Every structure is written in C-alpha cells, then in structure tokens.
Amino acid sequence: MGWRFRKSVRKGPFRLNFSKHGMGTSVGTRTVRVTQSATGQRRLTFTIPGTGLSWQKVFSRGRRHRRPEEQL
C-alpha cells in the first residue's frame, strides 16, 4: 500500500481539493455537488444527509481512463 495525500480548502460553497495528481474543484451544497477532479473527471453527486446514501453521475472519465484513439 502506497502513500496518499489529500487536502481540501473550503470557501462557502466552493472547495479546492489538492492531491498528488494536482488540484480539483467542486461547488455545491451538502445535498448537490458538481466536481472536477485533478485528472479531469467530472461528476454530479446527490446525497441524503445523515443516511450515507448518495448517487453519482460521471460525465467524463478524465485523462487517465482514455483509450489511445480518443487522445487525438
């Protein structure tokens, strides 16, 4: 198991997420959040606070998951 690094900075509804892959951003509330990760993945998340239940819709897979023919 390797080392991991993650740090978040919040300013109101905005959040900057720092990891070993770079910086990601997200905006939203406890129930609805839109995120772009450091690798370029974009997703929309709905949560029901206090239940542990959530739903995510991934819009793009990001740089690390593209097939070689998609990188043109």
Side-chain angles (χ1 to χ4, degrees):
M1 185 161 143
W3 288 92
R4 292 182 151 204
F5 170 75
R6 183 171 177 265
K7 173 70 178 162
S8 293
V9 177
R10 292 189 311 177
K11 294 287 184 183
F14 300 99
R15 185 181 294 167
L16 295 176
N17 304 302
F18 301 95
S19 71
K20 67 179 182 178
H21 296 291
M23 184 181 77
T25 58
S26 63
V27 64
T29 63
R30 282 179 66 185
T31 55
V32 180
R33 183 159 292 275
V34 177
T35 305
Q36 179 159 356
S37 72
T39 59
Q41 183 184 56
R42 288 186 211 113
R43 65 182 171 262
L44 173 66
T45 307
F46 291 98
T47 16
I48 302 172
T51 64
L53 296 174
S54 64
W55 176 85
Q56 284 189 0
K57 169 69 176 167
V58 176
F59 292 106
S60 65
R61 291 285 181 197
R63 295 187 301 254
R64 299 181 69 195
H65 300 287
R66 289 187 183 156
R67 287 181 252 143
E69 64 271 7
E70 293 176 349
Q71 295 178 353
L72 299 176

